[in-house]
Amino acid sequence: MLPRPVARPSEGLETLPLINLVFLLLVFFLLAGSIRAPEALEVSPPTLDADAERQAEDATVLQLAADGRMAWGNELLPPERLDDWLRGRLAAGDVALSLRADAGADARETIALLHRLRAAGLEQVRLEVRTGSEPP
Amino acid sequence: MIPYRARPVRRVPLTALVDVVFILLFFFMLASSLDDPRHIPVALAGAGAASDARAATGLRLEPGQVNLGGAILADADALARLSASPPAEIVLDAVAGVDMQRLADWLQRLDRLGIEARLGSAP
């Protein structure tokens, strides 16, 4: 006759440590992350190894992709609409603007774009960068 | 005397709570971005009365080399020459085929040397 099976101590899957961990992760992402609206273009700005000034959360950012397309937020800006858009921003009180140009965008055309923005009335332009040792 | 009745031990149903917490966790993991945008100020040539584009030294970026006031130099040589005798102001320009990473690198180098760089108007 087979011996009676020994009742295994119920392992009682340790859920409490798991929940603690998940809560910690949740709080981390709540505090460290910032929720942003999706953007129209995939742009990776130039990377610098030095520190630079932190950009305000609510800065007006003009995105410029490597292929020359431009966007503001989730909205593509065809070149012919750029001046109208800029006038609208200036009327709304934005005198400074951040240009998020792709690291692969053409520098000569970007300089020309900056001059065009200034000619349209923009006073201050900043170039958005990433800092740290990320691969370019 | 009020009879004491032991209340049945109620276990908190953890599963539903954990489900909700997981959903919240996934939401914040996917919707939030951890990157930290920085910016550098950019000055343009021809802005303000103080700058005179003709008097300032010109630095034109080309792929793999630079044109510093007419002399074609490698990046390191141009940097050495600029740090030996830094001009107060430089008009920075680029030819076609130079990308923004190179322009940003040069803006940073000139900033470290204390040279005020202004972006020239591309014709």
Side-chain angles (χ1 to χ4, degrees):
Chain A
M1 200 176 136
L2 286 170
R4 235 176 118 198
V6 183
R8 269 195 291 174
S10 77
E11 264 167 54
L13 195 68
E14 293 295 328
T15 45
L16 280 179
L18 172 77
I19 297 166
N20 287 345
L21 195 66
V22 170
F23 260 113
L24 277 179
L25 283 171
L26 178 65
V27 172
F28 170 74
F29 280 101
L30 269 170
L31 295 181
S34 57
I35 297 187
R36 298 218 183 110
E39 286 174 343
L41 295 173
E42 191 77 26
V43 175
S44 60
T47 308
L48 297 182
D49 53 7
D51 213 11
E53 205 179 321
R54 179 168 278 119
Q55 181 152 294
E57 290 273 330
D58 56 350
T60 300
V61 175
L62 178 65
Q63 308 156 45
L64 173 68
D67 58 6
R69 284 182 303 158
M70 286 174 284
W72 174 53
N74 203 12
E75 180 188 347
L76 277 175
L77 286 175
E80 65 273 12
R81 273 195 47 214
L82 187 67
D83 288 352
D84 279 343
W85 169 79
L86 186 67
R87 253 175 254 126
R89 296 314 305 163
L90 289 171
D94 274 333
V95 286
L97 180 142
S98 236
L99 179 71
R100 181 185 296 159
D102 196 274
D106 191 84
R108 185 186 148 97
E109 281 170 24
T110 308
I111 294 174
L113 171 70
L114 290 176
H115 279 268
R116 183 176 159 191
L117 292 175
R118 201 208 22 215
L122 194 70
E123 288 168 21
Q124 228 185 332
V125 190
R126 297 174 181 130
L127 185 65
E128 191 175 315
V129 292
R130 293 280 181 272
T131 54
S133 50
E134 307 157 43
Chain B
M1 207 172 122
I2 302 166
Y4 175 76
R5 240 193 303 166
R7 270 197 288 173
V9 179
R10 249 201 293 174
R11 295 202 48 166
V12 184
L14 280 178
T15 316
L17 173 76
V18 177
D19 282 350
V20 172
V21 171
F22 259 115
I23 287 173
L24 284 173
L25 178 65
F26 279 123
F27 172 75
F28 282 103
M29 277 177 73
L30 297 177
S32 66
S33 71
L34 293 172
D35 68 352
D36 182 20
R38 306 295 180 110
H39 61 217
I40 50 176
V42 171
L44 299 179
S51 72
D52 183 359
R54 263 157 257 158
T57 314
L59 178 67
R60 174 164 294 203
L61 305 181
E62 295 170 8
Q65 61 189 24
V66 295
N67 181 337
L68 177 61
I72 306 290
L73 299 167
D75 279 20
D77 297 335
L79 202 58
R81 195 178 283 197
L82 284 171
S83 53
S85 57
E89 189 181 318
I90 266 190
V91 174
L92 193 60
D93 197 2
V95 299
V98 174
D99 63 14
M100 283 305 290
Q101 179 66 55
R102 188 160 155 74
L103 183 71
D105 285 341
W106 267 101
L107 281 172
Q108 189 184 27
R109 286 172 195 156
L110 295 174
D111 184 54
R112 280 183 183 160
L113 291 175
I115 302 171
E116 192 189 342
R118 292 178 171 275
L119 297 183
S121 59

